[in-house]
Amino acid sequence: MSLPPITLTGHAQKEAWQNRVLPPVEQLGAEVWSIPVPFPDNPMRYTLSYLLLGDGDAVLIDPGWDSDAGLEHLAAGLRQAGLGLRDLTGIVATHFHSDHLGMAARLRAATGAWVALGEKEVRRLSAAGDADLVLRNDREELTLWGVPADRLAEVALNHRSLLQLQNLADPDLRLTDGSLVPAKRLELRVVTTPGHSPGHICLVDEPHGMIFSGDHVLPRISPHIALELPGPANPLADYYESLDLIAFEDAMEICPAHEYRFSGMQRRVAQLIEHNRERSAEVLRVMEVHRPQTVWDIARHLTWSRGWESLQAFSLRLAVSETASHVVYLRSKDYDIDVPLTEPRPAVLR
């Protein structure tokens, strides 16, 4: 199916993306700045943080991965906007992933700025959580999904990855759907958009004609929708509903956390829905042709952009968990897909 293309607006960002370099700091308006923060050793390469200036308030959206180099880039971007680190008054993360919230704890300690997340966002492991129990449950789940024993250590969570999760900042504020971010002369409206994470939010800035979309809507990549335990029972169904919520117009500029800016939210939402529907249809074809016995068996017969054999470590984990989310969604639509899956357990808000 041929769908209308989106409209590129972040030309310098796209050029940098294609050249695999960090894009420039950009002033998007009198009160809005885009500041890239490096995301080391990851194909996404950087997170696009956005600085919004109000009446004595300076709010940073998605401060990015925590590293000394990232802090230097962020501080340099703030200087271009005429600010120092201590001028920050608020930090909003669109969701609880390390490449979005990671720098928040360090910034809060240095500046005293508050940290906010959506009201429904959850963390995988708190600072006081039992890491060994999380690791054991994770391996049991992956084994049930059919991950071979010789690939389990590669795909499963480990103590290093859990330590990063434990060190992420707990929020000072929870932002409810439809509320405004508490900053003077800023009109950032919160839209709760679960799917990529249980409590992902987008921020709508109607005065500036911008939507800060986090990872919910990206210009080229289809965001990863994973089945996670604990987590929502049907994340792909949540994602479809969230896409409908955010596709309320087509002219505003979309400021994502990765890749580059664009306009055409309705067009991009249509593309994302079509992509996921095609993926679910492919899962059904695999079930009919190959009669797979596990989620792993389904995933290895699906089409992946660089081929199944190229997937390793975290990318392989994402592929398997994404496949699981399609299985759950198709079962909710009364398709008989007989592979082992446990029911997701609700996560605890903190």
Side-chain angles (χ1 to χ4, degrees):
M1 179 177 178
S2 179
L3 294 170
I6 60 174
T7 303
L8 174 66
T9 59
H11 296 277
Q13 289 176 339
K14 184 173 183 180
E15 183 177 353
W17 178 261
Q18 291 173 329
N19 293 332
R20 305 183 68 83
V21 298
L22 205 65
V25 174
E26 293 184 78
Q27 185 172 9
L28 310 184
E31 301 161 323
V32 184
W33 293 75
S34 171
I35 305 173
V37 177
F39 185 10
D41 303 319
N42 189 281
M44 300 305 289
R45 299 196 296 278
Y46 55 83
T47 299
L48 293 168
S49 296
Y50 297 96
L51 174 67
L52 285 85
L53 306 179
D55 184 7
D57 280 314
V59 174
L60 189 68
I61 301 173
D62 286 340
W65 184 270
D66 184 28
S67 69
D68 292 341
L71 184 63
E72 290 176 6
H73 280 277
L74 190 54
L78 290 172
R79 286 195 296 273
Q80 283 189 237
L83 301 182
L85 282 175
R86 292 186 179 277
D87 293 314
L88 284 179
T89 58
I91 298 163
V92 179
T94 56
H95 58 295
F96 205 97
H97 287 171
S98 298
D99 57 318
H100 295 257
L101 182 63
M103 192 82 73
R106 190 195 297 224
L107 289 173
R108 179 168 59 189
T111 68
W114 48 259
V115 174
L117 282 168
E119 64 175 332
K120 296 183 179 180
E121 189 60 306
V122 298
R123 64 184 303 162
R124 190 72 180 269
L125 181 66
S126 70
D130 186 340
D132 290 333
L133 177 61
V134 172
L135 293 177
R136 184 165 61 252
N137 289 341
D138 186 61
R139 283 177 170 256
E140 289 176 358
E141 185 65 26
L142 292 172
T143 299
L144 183 67
W145 290 0
V147 177
D150 62 348
R151 304 297 297 272
L152 198 57
E154 176 187 354
V155 175
L157 296 173
N158 55 44
H159 279 285
R160 181 181 177 184
S161 57
L162 286 188
L163 181 61
Q164 291 174 342
L165 295 178
Q166 284 182 310
N167 289 337
L168 291 174
D170 280 319
D172 303 299
L173 305 174
R174 288 287 189 171
L175 302 174
T176 59
D177 185 62
S179 67
L180 296 179
V181 172
K184 296 177 183 177
R185 210 165 54 81
L186 288 182
E187 294 185 36
L188 281 174
R189 178 169 57 87
V190 176
V191 181
T192 302
T193 51
H196 179 66
S197 76
H200 189 291
I201 59 173
C202 293
L203 299 165
V204 178
D205 185 348
E206 292 185 1
H208 292 108
M210 295 176 175
I211 300 175
F212 301 95
S213 64
D215 282 356
H216 186 59
V217 177
L218 303 172
R220 188 183 62 90
I221 296 172
S222 176
H224 177 67
I225 312 300
L227 184 68
E228 295 184 355
L229 301 177
N234 195 341
L236 186 54
D238 293 342
Y239 186 57
Y240 283 139
E241 291 181 9
S242 299
L243 287 175
D244 286 341
L245 286 175
I246 205 66
F248 57 84
E249 66 85 61
D250 207 46
M252 295 176 75
E253 185 172 41
I254 314 307
C255 301
H258 302 288
E259 299 185 318
Y260 40 84
R261 302 187 313 280
F262 66 99
S263 64
M265 177 66 88
Q266 291 179 344
R267 286 167 278 165
R268 184 59 182 142
V269 163
Q271 292 170 1
L272 290 167
I273 290 173
E274 181 68 17
H275 167 81
N276 281 286
R277 285 177 176 166
E278 288 176 353
R279 177 60 105 192
S280 287
E282 187 179 13
V283 169
L284 293 176
R285 290 194 297 271
V286 167
M287 293 301 302
E288 182 177 356
V289 173
H290 298 284
R291 304 295 181 185
Q293 300 300 305
T294 65
V295 172
W296 174 275
D297 286 338
I298 298 172
R300 69 188 181 91
H301 288 296
L302 295 175
T303 303
W304 303 99
S305 58
R306 297 181 182 177
W308 171 255
E309 298 301 327
S310 71
L311 298 175
Q312 298 178 4
F314 189 61
S315 294
L316 185 57
R317 179 187 179 90
L318 295 182
V320 177
S321 61
E322 177 185 304
T323 303
S325 73
H326 280 273
V327 170
V328 167
Y329 177 76
L330 287 166
R331 282 182 174 178
S332 75
K333 298 299 182 181
D334 296 327
Y335 289 98
D336 183 16
I337 303 182
D338 187 18
V339 297
L341 278 177
T342 56
E343 293 296 323
R345 303 178 302 277
V348 178
L349 290 174
R350 293 186 181 274

